[in-house]
Amino acid sequence: MRRGGQDRLLIKTRNRKWEKVIEILFLLSALISVFSLTAITVYLFAKGFPAIWEIGIMNFIFGMEWNPTADNPSYGIFPMIYASAAGTVGAVFLSVPVGLSAAVLLAAVAPPSLANFLRPCVDLMSGIPSVVYGYFGLTVIVPLISEYLGGPGNSLLAVIVLLSVMILPTIIKISENSLRTVPVEIIQGSYALGAAKMETVLKVMIPAAGSGILSSIVLGIGRAIGETMAVILVCGNAAQIPRSVLDMVRPMTANIALEMSYADPFHESVLFGTGVVLFMFIAAVNIVINVLSGNAAKFKDKPPHYLL
Amino acid sequence: MPYWRKCKDFAVKIIIWLFSLAALAFLFWILSDLIIKGLPNITFDYITSEYNEYKGINGIAPMIVTTLWIISVTLIISGVTGVFAAVYLAEYSRPGPIVSVIRFALESLTGIPSIIYGLFGYIFFKSILKLGFSILSASLTLAVMVLPFVIRSTENALRSVNRLYRDGSFALGATKLYTVMNITLPCAAPRIITVMLLTVGRIAGETAAVYFTAGTVYRYPEGIMSSGRTLSVHIYMLAKETGNYDETYAAALVLVIFISLIHFIVNTASRVINAERI
């Protein structure tokens, strides 16, 4: 029965027209991604930009006051841009040493059986939903901060700690991959010159995998800026410039998600405007990644000694 | 090797182990916290009953149903278009401007955070296409969001099929479409299924995009057009609006168990698949 069906398909597919139609269907499916990207960009700007224009670009981006429900409302998002940036920078500082160590451990130090156990752990870490990280932060990390360091607990520090854990899998996985693709010749060359294992790791493997490690960090930055649900539960939501890491903050993503449910039409457009600014940051991150991977492609054709 | 160099080497090794252990410890801290506080509260009643603050019923059954609805609809949409697109990229495309534009779009979509997808779904699917807060709006939004992942992984799966099979099929006079349908796709099927499973995990864990498109109503959904609250949105609402730790921890643990199960299956399956190849 099945065989007969296949034969019929064989005869049918000899028909050139039919082949062409299906090929076009495949192409259209592939083009959906292009349509989506265009639609996302167009609709986000169409909805957000008029509001930014009405407020004034400078007043919007560098304004210090956020008070959309007052009689004389003010819409300045600088404190939120600052909070997003501070949270991201802090998370990267915490996460890079740990992530890079774990990547080196998986790629070169740990015995294969241990590495095979640890890799699924990294996957699980990236699989835990952000809202669960957020709830863990709210019930465990926030009280710890408030008890031992003082302050309300809901703070920039809590944001940084959570974000650093959440971007860890990204940094570990991509760095490990690029450490693994370092040509074995230059590693053996390093040993042949009498270098010890860790000297080889630090002075040969990490520099050779440099562009891959850098793009893992930049990808981590992208994840940290865009993270919403974990951050919203621990940040405290006060739109202010924090004086210390123990002060409450409100990153851009939290601003959008918090106020969307009760916003009037203009307020809603302003929130989309916040999305536009966030989108610009992500676009910048994407450009950096493209440049980095372009550099990595250039290295591939060079002889290994070029990397040293 | 001089003594101090050996010491330095050892010190670096210790630092690497310590940092890695710290990361691992954090993972186990989260998991054990979830299990200790969540497991005692997961009962049969909790999983099978409704949620109603006023009647004092606090089950999660409607949320589980909504989550499953959204997972299935998203998987159908993104699975079909994703596999088609991957077949185009792996089998039909020639290097040129069209392919570079598609790849640029895929790379850019990968980097966009879920809240932006949520905003897009809110204005495009909910308002402009007038789908309202519904399972369909959420599924379409999520489908756009997971599409880059589905396409990239499926393309890798298709490319990993042994060239000889394909060449053999062509040599026997089969057309390209016949080869794709009968040789390449069946050979890549196990890998494509693991891709779909990982996608299920991502959909189940997503909150921000669903929150903006499916709404927060905690009834049983009646169909594809009714709004609903997924498990992850439920965790957020509980965390934000009530102080009931037990319930929230139980919901979080149910979600994490579901996702870990998927990861476990995928890991085992890919080990089997890789072993078969050698």
Side-chain angles (χ1 to χ4, degrees), chain A residues 6-7 9-10 13-14 18-19 22-23 25-27 29-34 36-37 39-40 43-44 47 97-98 101-102 104-105 109-111 114 116-118 120-121 123-125 127-133 135-136 138-141 144 161 165 168 194-199 201-203 222 226-229 232-233 237 253 256-258 260-261 268 271-272 275 278-279 282 286 290, chain B residues 1 5 8-10 12-13 15-17 19-20 22-24 26-31 33-34 37 80-81 84-85 87-89 92 98 101-102 104-109 111-117 119-120 122-124 128 144 147 151 172-178 180-182 201 204-208 211-212 232 235-236 239-240 244-246 248-249 252 255-256 259-260 263 267 271:
Chain A
Q6 283 183 348
D7 285 343
L9 182 62
L10 183 61
T13 52
R14 286 232 172 95
W18 184 242
E19 284 264 322
I22 297 286
E23 184 178 339
L25 182 67
F26 288 161
L27 173 62
S29 302
L31 284 176
I32 286 179
S33 56
V34 182
S36 310
L37 182 63
I40 289 172
Y43 282 110
L44 198 63
K47 180 97 175 149
V98 178
S101 301
V104 167
L105 187 88
V109 178
L114 182 65
N116 284 338
F117 164 75
L118 290 177
C121 291
D123 287 335
L124 183 60
M125 217 168 170
I128 294 179
S130 56
V131 69
V132 174
Y133 276 114
Y135 193 61
F136 175 77
L138 180 67
T139 55
V140 177
I141 294 176
L144 278 180
V161 170
V165 176
L168 211 49
K197 176 127 194 177
M198 287 303 129
E199 289 171 340
V201 166
L202 290 180
K203 294 187 178 152
E227 183 46 55
T228 311
M229 283 318 186
I232 206 170
L233 289 173
N237 294 322
T253 50
I256 300 171
L258 274 172
M260 209 63 179
S261 49
E268 195 178 286
L271 295 179
F272 271 83
L278 179 64
F279 191 79
I282 298 292
N286 271 351
N290 272 333
Chain B
M1 202 182 294
R5 266 179 73 194
K8 221 169 85 181
D9 212 54
F10 186 70
V12 172
K13 214 178 240 179
I15 290 172
I16 285 175
W17 275 101
F19 274 153
S20 310
L24 193 65
F26 205 101
L27 175 66
F28 281 102
W29 188 21
I30 293 181
L31 292 180
D33 189 62
L34 280 175
K37 294 180 190 160
V80 172
T81 52
F84 279 9
V87 167
Y88 179 79
L89 289 174
Y92 286 89
I98 296 180
V101 170
I102 292 172
F104 171 77
L106 288 175
E107 269 168 40
S108 309
L109 285 175
I112 293 178
S114 61
I115 189 159
I116 301 270
Y117 284 104
L119 287 178
F120 169 66
Y122 179 83
I123 185 166
F124 188 71
I128 291 178
V144 175
L147 205 54
I151 294 178
L172 290 170
T175 60
K176 198 158 203 169
L177 182 59
Y178 185 85
V180 167
M181 297 307 262
N182 293 280
E206 183 48 48
T207 314
Y211 178 63
F212 280 137
S232 51
I235 297 169
Y236 172 68
K240 204 78 196 152
N244 195 335
Y245 280 15
D246 295 346
T248 321
Y249 262 109
L255 189 59
V256 168
I259 289 171
S260 327
H263 278 268
N267 263 314
R271 218 165 275 174

Side-chain angles (χ1 to χ4, degrees), chain B residues 41-259:
Chain B
N41 301 304
I42 299 182
T43 55
F44 184 73
D45 248 18
Y46 179 71
I47 292 179
T48 53
S49 65
E50 284 184 60
Y51 179 84
N52 194 330
E53 310 168 50
Y54 306 109
K55 289 187 201 155
I57 319 169
N58 56 3
I60 52 168
M63 292 51 159
I64 293 179
V65 174
T66 308
T67 309
L68 293 177
W69 262 102
I70 289 185
I71 288 174
S72 341
V73 179
T74 310
L75 213 53
I76 292 168
I77 301 170
S78 66
V80 172
T81 52
V83 169
F84 279 9
V87 167
Y88 179 79
L89 289 174
E91 303 286 332
Y92 286 89
S93 65
R94 307 242 181 299
I98 296 180
V99 175
S100 346
V101 170
I102 292 172
R103 294 219 184 271
F104 171 77
L106 288 175
E107 269 168 40
S108 309
L109 285 175
T110 312
I112 293 178
S114 61
I115 189 159
I116 301 270
Y117 284 104
L119 287 178
F120 169 66
Y122 179 83
I123 185 166
F124 188 71
F125 296 121
K126 183 204 145 252
S127 304
I128 291 178
L129 296 186
K130 301 216 168 16
L131 299 173
F133 285 115
S134 65
I135 288 177
L136 186 61
S137 298
S139 299
L140 286 166
T141 311
L142 286 177
V144 175
M145 194 180 104
V146 297
L147 205 54
F149 172 75
V150 174
I151 294 178
R152 188 161 22 90
S153 322
T154 310
E155 191 193 344
N156 284 341
L158 291 171
R159 286 189 190 279
S160 72
V161 173
N162 197 334
R163 263 219 91 80
L164 289 177
Y165 297 163
R166 238 178 303 176
D167 292 348
S169 168
F170 288 139
L172 290 170
T175 60
K176 198 158 203 169
L177 182 59
Y178 185 85
T179 310
V180 167
M181 297 307 262
N182 293 280
I183 308 292
T184 323
L185 276 179
C187 287
R191 275 163 192 263
I192 295 177
I193 290 170
T194 59
V195 172
M196 294 303 157
L197 278 174
L198 285 175
T199 313
V200 169
R202 279 198 58 184
I203 300 166
E206 183 48 48
T207 314
V210 186
Y211 178 63
F212 280 137
T213 48
T216 56
V217 179
Y218 47 73
R219 285 189 312 260
Y220 280 106
E222 281 146 15
I224 202 167
M225 295 310 293
S226 67
S227 82
R229 185 194 275 199
T230 63
L231 203 49
S232 51
V233 174
H234 187 54
I235 297 169
Y236 172 68
M237 299 304 285
L238 288 178
K240 204 78 196 152
E241 290 180 354
T242 69
N244 195 335
Y245 280 15
D246 295 346
E247 251 182 84
T248 321
Y249 262 109
L253 184 60
V254 169
L255 189 59
V256 168
I257 288 175
F258 178 66
I259 289 171

Side-chain angles (χ1 to χ4, degrees), chain A residues 67-172:
Chain A
N67 202 348
T69 48
D71 293 335
N72 187 12
S74 46
Y75 303 97
I77 61 162
F78 190 72
M80 301 162 204
I81 297 177
Y82 184 90
S84 286
T88 304
V89 170
V92 167
F93 266 102
L94 271 184
S95 199
V96 166
V98 178
L100 201 51
S101 301
V104 167
L105 187 88
L106 288 174
V109 178
S113 55
L114 182 65
N116 284 338
F117 164 75
L118 290 177
R119 252 176 236 119
C121 291
V122 178
D123 287 335
L124 183 60
M125 217 168 170
S126 69
I128 294 179
S130 56
V131 69
V132 174
Y133 276 114
Y135 193 61
F136 175 77
L138 180 67
T139 55
V140 177
I141 294 176
V142 164
L144 278 180
I145 290 176
S146 124
E147 189 174 331
Y148 289 100
L149 300 173
N154 292 77
S155 58
L156 181 59
L157 182 63
V159 171
I160 290 174
V161 170
L162 270 195
L163 284 181
S164 64
V165 176
M166 295 180 68
I167 66 176
L168 211 49
T170 312
I171 294 180
I172 295 176

